[in-house]
């Protein structure tokens, strides 16, 4: 398991790079919830060896936060450009290609 931590601006930037809207109960669309996270889940088809990913937006409702509740919402996030298959799974190759088209390429730095 790998975990990448960040702030609300990181969650917003990742959502923009993925071309997805963040939706969760109790929040306006694209309003990052306190403690909200984009979860990228990976899986491998044991028969073919192909890797897949799917996305969730993990949040707690405003009431759960207000009253120190423990309930967590996992809202599936369909990936634009991936075929809509059961469970919102997208092949890792397709996901990587879609993401690479949406982010700026790295510029080489001048050696000092």
């Amino acid at each position: 398991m790998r975990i990448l931590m960040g702030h609300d601006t990181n969650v917003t930037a990742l959502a923009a790079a993925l071309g997805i809207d963040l939706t969760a109960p109790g929040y306006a669309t694209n309003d990052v919830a306190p403690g909200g996270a984009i979860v990228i889940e990976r899986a491998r088809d044991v028969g073919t060896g192909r890797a897949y990913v799917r996305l969730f937006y993990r949040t707690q409702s405003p009431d759960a936060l207000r009253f120190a509740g423990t309930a967590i919402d996992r809202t599936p996030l369909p990936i634009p450009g991936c075929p809509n298959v059961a469970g919102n799974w997208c092949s890792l190759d397709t996901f990587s290609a879609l993401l690479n088209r949406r982010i700026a390429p790295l510029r080489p730095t001048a050696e000092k």
Side-chain angles (χ1 to χ4, degrees), residues 11 14-15 18 20-25 35-43 52-60 72-79 85-90 95:
V11 172
L14 180 57
L18 293 168
I20 57 174
D21 285 325
L22 299 175
T23 56
I38 295 175
V39 176
I40 303 172
E41 186 175 13
R42 290 184 58 173
Y52 294 87
V53 298
R54 65 181 172 181
L55 306 177
F56 294 94
Y57 186 40
R58 182 199 170 282
T59 59
Q60 284 187 288
I72 294 173
D73 294 308
R74 280 178 41 120
T75 305
L77 297 171
I79 302 167
V85 296
N88 287 328
W89 290 104
C90 180
F95 177 77

Side-chain angles (χ1 to χ4, degrees), residues 6-9 11-12 22-38 57-62 65 73 75:
H7 296 280
D8 54 350
T9 53
V11 172
T12 302
L22 299 175
T23 56
Y27 297 95
T29 300
N30 294 321
D31 185 11
V32 178
I38 295 175
Y57 186 40
R58 182 199 170 282
T59 59
Q60 284 187 288
S61 71
L65 290 170
D73 294 308
T75 305

Side-chain angles (χ1 to χ4, degrees), residues 61-102:
S61 71
D63 282 342
L65 290 170
R66 190 174 298 117
F67 300 111
T70 58
I72 294 173
D73 294 308
R74 280 178 41 120
T75 305
L77 297 171
I79 302 167
C82 278
N84 190 4
V85 296
N88 287 328
W89 290 104
C90 180
S91 76
L92 182 59
D93 292 337
T94 300
F95 177 77
S96 296
L98 291 168
L99 185 56
N100 283 329
R101 278 188 236 133
R102 297 190 59 93

